Amino acid sequence: MIRAEGLTVRFGGFVLRSIDLAVAPGESFFVLGPSGAGKTLLLEALLGIRRPQAGRVLLDGRDATDLPPEARNVAYVPQDLALFPHLSVRENILFGLRARGQRVSGVEERLRHWVELLDLGRVIERKDARTLSGGERQRVALARALVTEPRVIFLDEPFSALDAALRRRLQVEFRDLQRRLGVTVVQVTHDPEEAFLMADRMAILMAGRIEQTGRPAELYNRPANLRVARFLMLQNLFPATAGPVGDDGYQRLRIHGLARGLLVTPDPRFPEGAAVVVGIRPEEVILVRPDRPPEPDRQRNLLRAEVLEWADLGHSRLLRLRVEGLTLDAWLNIRAAREYPMEPGTKVWCHVRPWSLCLLPPEEPLGSLPPCAAGG
């Protein structure tokens, strides 16, 4: 459907370098990255608003690099939604069709279809778009994009200005709508939770470069490097040394600050003796109930820990554990936390399954890593 090949775009002193990506028909594709990564610049290049210095953009296999946006049959929903205050809701929705100067048959039928689908019947006759709520403004902007029947819809952080509850509800609604319609979506966001909720695939963009592309679960469980791991909130990161693969099929791993070795699924990138960074997501740290003895035969990588502190996050409790020379974050679902309270000083057992450990190349000093943040 849409492809970028070797795309290089300059804006002032900032450069998007050699961007390659492909979006399939009907796919919800997200470009995820921190502020200043170049997400909006990439969107503008794909849209045709900004011309690249090198590379090309293809739509349906045809070179569209030199085509203006209005000739690409795509739609754009900017971050500020760009509704016109001097136009009614109806006129705002139909603006895209009329701006193209094309005679379109069945305009009213199209309008009724999207008004009904997006639940805008109560506001369609409103004369002043400024009187709309945040959710209504969002739906009107989507209706204006969809009524043109575009090949691709581009969205630039369209939910970021909404409060948390409304944002989540509209994200779920739009994801459901996109699936039912089969419309192709390219959306940029700085919010990993939004991307994981709504994307079929995503690209991580950092400092003008794509670091990794894949399905959400792939990026979450197997980040390509420390930069991606940090951005996706992989909180427990420790320097380690790779060991040999044993008869049981697991590779040995020596984490600095831990007396005993751990077992990990073998990774051919890290032969015996290689320096490595091991990542352990807090939800993968399995706590053994204090009133139950551990089962070493079933619970591999069994470790003795002491609770240092905890904080409730609403749906879960974040526990900070001391494991020998390491500080380890773990999550406990709130029901279990209430049934089995663990106060600071409580001694517990915990274990991590070998396939839950994530191995990363030590591309930068761990001292440059930011402090761990609660949540994920």
Side-chain angles (χ1 to χ4, degrees):
M1 166 63 74
I2 184 168
R3 179 184 295 273
E5 296 180 347
L7 212 59
T8 296
V9 189
R10 296 181 183 275
F11 180 70
F14 184 86
V15 184
L16 281 174
R17 300 182 185 276
S18 302
I19 300 295
D20 293 305
L21 59 83
V23 182
E27 186 171 46
S28 176
F29 187 92
F30 269 63
V31 179
L32 172 65
S35 297
K39 303 184 298 295
T40 297
L41 189 61
L42 174 56
L43 205 66
E44 291 176 348
L46 296 175
L47 269 164
I49 295 174
R50 194 173 298 278
R51 201 184 190 294
Q53 277 64 51
R56 60 179 187 162
V57 176
L58 293 90
L59 283 171
D60 295 329
R62 297 181 178 180
D63 193 335
T65 310
D66 295 324
L67 288 179
E70 60 271 19
R72 299 187 182 203
N73 191 24
V74 298
Y76 178 40
V77 179
Q79 187 170 357
D80 63 3
L81 304 182
L83 298 184
F84 299 103
H86 64 285
L87 298 181
S88 68
V89 170
R90 174 187 291 269
E91 290 168 334
N92 264 284
I93 294 174
L94 295 177
F95 179 83
L97 282 176
R98 291 172 175 167
R100 298 185 183 196
Q102 299 173 348
R103 296 179 62 86
V104 180
S105 60
V107 169
E108 286 300 317
E109 185 178 345
R110 281 199 206 182
L111 180 64
R112 283 194 300 272
H113 172 73
W114 292 112
V115 164
E116 180 180 347
L117 202 58
L118 292 168
D119 193 23
L120 292 170
R122 292 172 296 177
V123 300
I124 186 61
E125 300 302 335
R126 195 170 294 183
K127 300 300 182 183
D128 189 345
R130 290 173 296 185
T131 64
L132 298 173
S133 68
E136 289 165 347
R137 287 171 53 83
Q138 185 69 55
R139 290 188 177 92
V140 169
L142 289 174
R144 184 176 60 187
L146 290 164
V147 77
T148 63
E149 298 183 350
R151 290 186 288 184
V152 186
I153 298 180
F154 294 91
L155 302 103
D156 188 356
E157 307 215 40
F159 306 104
S160 60
L162 303 175
D163 64 74
L166 178 58
R167 180 168 64 247
R168 178 54 55 88
R169 179 162 61 84
L170 288 179
Q171 287 167 348
V172 171
E173 288 179 3
F174 182 68
R175 177 56 166 152
D176 178 65
L177 179 67
Q178 184 269 330
R179 282 172 168 159
R180 285 188 285 124
L181 297 175
V183 64
T184 305
V185 168
V186 178
Q187 183 166 333
V188 304
T189 184
H190 68 278
D191 181 2
E193 286 192 2
E194 179 175 89
F196 284 115
L197 175 67
M198 301 178 68
D200 293 312
R201 286 191 310 123
M202 64 177 75
I204 305 294
L205 184 70
M206 307 184 78
R209 295 182 181 273
I210 290 182
E211 297 282 350
Q212 188 175 2
T213 302
R215 295 190 176 279
E218 295 170 6
L219 274 63
Y220 187 81
N221 294 316
R222 292 292 178 263
N225 52 48
L226 276 172
R227 293 182 295 279
V228 175
R230 288 188 300 179
F231 182 68
L232 297 182
M233 301 296 287
L234 208 169
Q235 291 166 235
N236 299 308
L237 293 166
F238 308 111
T241 302
V245 178
D247 294 337
D248 56 3
Y250 293 116
Q251 186 172 16
R252 272 56 187 168
L253 187 70
R254 178 67 65 185
I255 297 181
H256 305 172
L258 201 61
R260 60 166 296 177
L262 298 184
L263 304 178
V264 62
T265 302
D267 190 326
R269 297 177 299 166
F270 305 108
E272 183 177 356
V276 65
V277 173
V278 60
I280 306 171
R281 288 202 173 274
E283 64 268 32
E284 296 291 351
V285 179
I286 302 172
L287 297 173
V288 181
R289 280 173 40 176
D291 59 337
R292 288 185 178 177
E295 303 176 43
D297 292 340
R298 294 182 58 241
Q299 296 160 348
R300 296 185 176 90
N301 297 336
L302 190 64
L303 301 167
R304 189 67 166 166
E306 177 186 352
V307 177
L308 296 178
E309 57 182 339
W310 57 263
D312 280 345
L313 305 176
H315 55 79
S316 62
R317 175 169 291 180
L318 173 67
L319 292 172
R320 184 147 290 176
L321 308 172
R322 171 67 67 184
V323 182
E324 297 182 25
L326 304 179
T327 300
L328 187 68
D329 286 348
W331 286 350
L332 189 65
N333 75 66
I334 203 68
R335 179 188 57 79
R338 288 169 179 162
E339 289 181 5
Y340 304 99
M342 298 182 191
E343 297 300 328
T346 301
K347 299 295 194 299
V348 297
W349 290 95
C350 63
H351 70 103
V352 184
R353 297 168 297 184
W355 50 89
S356 297
L357 298 172
C358 175
L359 301 185
L360 299 162
E363 298 171 345
E364 51 194 296
L366 279 183
S368 68
L369 296 173
C372 293

